């Protein structure tokens, strides 16, 4: 076990849990999420794109979650740059979500996402120190 792998591993596991749960919720409760988002974006130029946005966010969250899970495993069990790919995709997904929150003028929601983004950046910054990447 390499202690320098701990920070990027925990960041990857954080996003694996967050994004897999969120994407599966969007899959299993699509209608509820669609109704919420239609209300959330009702007074924005994005209102008519909500179904497409829901699909793209669901795909991005699921891919981020899976790649972060694989990335965490790769830091300990097999070589590869999966953690970089997973955390990079997680950061990209967060930027999409952040942009939507700002457009919807949900500044509190956007501020919460800033903390998640910081976790992604810390995880990415710690990767050069990790063994096996």
């Amino acid at each position: 076990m390499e202690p320098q792998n701990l920070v990027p591993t925990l960041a990857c596991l954080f996003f694996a849990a967050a994004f897999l749960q969120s994407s599966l919720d969007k899959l299993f409760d699509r209608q509820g999420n669609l109704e919420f988002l239609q209300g959330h974006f009702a007074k924005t130029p994005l209102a008519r794109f909500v179904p497409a946005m829901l699909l793209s966010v669901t795909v991005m969250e699921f891919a981020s979650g899976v790649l972060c899970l694989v990335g965490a495993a790769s830091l300990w069990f097999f070589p590869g740059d999966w953690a970089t790919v997973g955390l990079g995709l997680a950061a990209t997904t967060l930027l999409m979500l952040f942009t939507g929150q700002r457009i919807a003028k949900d500044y509190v929601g956007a501020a919460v996402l800033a903390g998640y983004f910081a976790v992604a950046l810390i995880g990415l910054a710690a990767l050069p120190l990790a063994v096996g990447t």
Side-chain angles (χ1 to χ4, degrees), residues 19-20 22-28 30 33 37 51-65 93 96-97:
F19 284 136
L20 287 173
S22 184
S23 63
L24 292 174
D25 178 65
K26 287 175 178 63
L27 284 173
F28 293 121
R30 183 179 188 283
N33 281 279
L37 291 171
M53 290 184 336
L54 177 59
L55 176 62
S56 65
V57 166
T58 303
V59 169
M60 289 291 288
E61 287 183 344
F62 187 76
S64 296
T93 301
M96 289 173 54
L97 294 168

Side-chain angles (χ1 to χ4, degrees), residues 16-128:
F19 284 136
L20 287 173
Q21 181 280 323
S22 184
S23 63
L24 292 174
D25 178 65
K26 287 175 178 63
L27 284 173
F28 293 121
D29 185 20
R30 183 179 188 283
Q31 191 57 41
N33 281 279
L34 189 58
E35 289 170 8
F36 170 78
L37 291 171
Q38 285 171 330
H40 198 65
F41 289 101
K43 296 179 182 178
T44 74
L46 299 177
R48 63 186 176 156
F49 301 107
V50 168
M53 290 184 336
L54 177 59
L55 176 62
S56 65
V57 166
T58 303
V59 169
M60 289 291 288
E61 287 183 344
F62 187 76
S64 296
V66 168
L67 288 171
C68 281
L69 191 60
V70 171
S74 75
L75 288 166
W76 295 92
F77 303 115
F78 56 89
D81 218 12
W82 294 103
T84 303
V85 174
L87 289 171
L89 190 59
T92 303
T93 301
L94 290 165
L95 288 172
M96 289 173 54
L97 294 168
F98 179 81
T99 302
Q101 295 291 59
R102 297 289 301 185
I103 290 170
K105 297 184 180 179
D106 180 359
Y107 301 117
V108 173
V112 169
L113 291 172
Y116 282 66
F117 193 69
V119 172
L121 294 179
I122 291 166
L124 286 167
L127 277 171

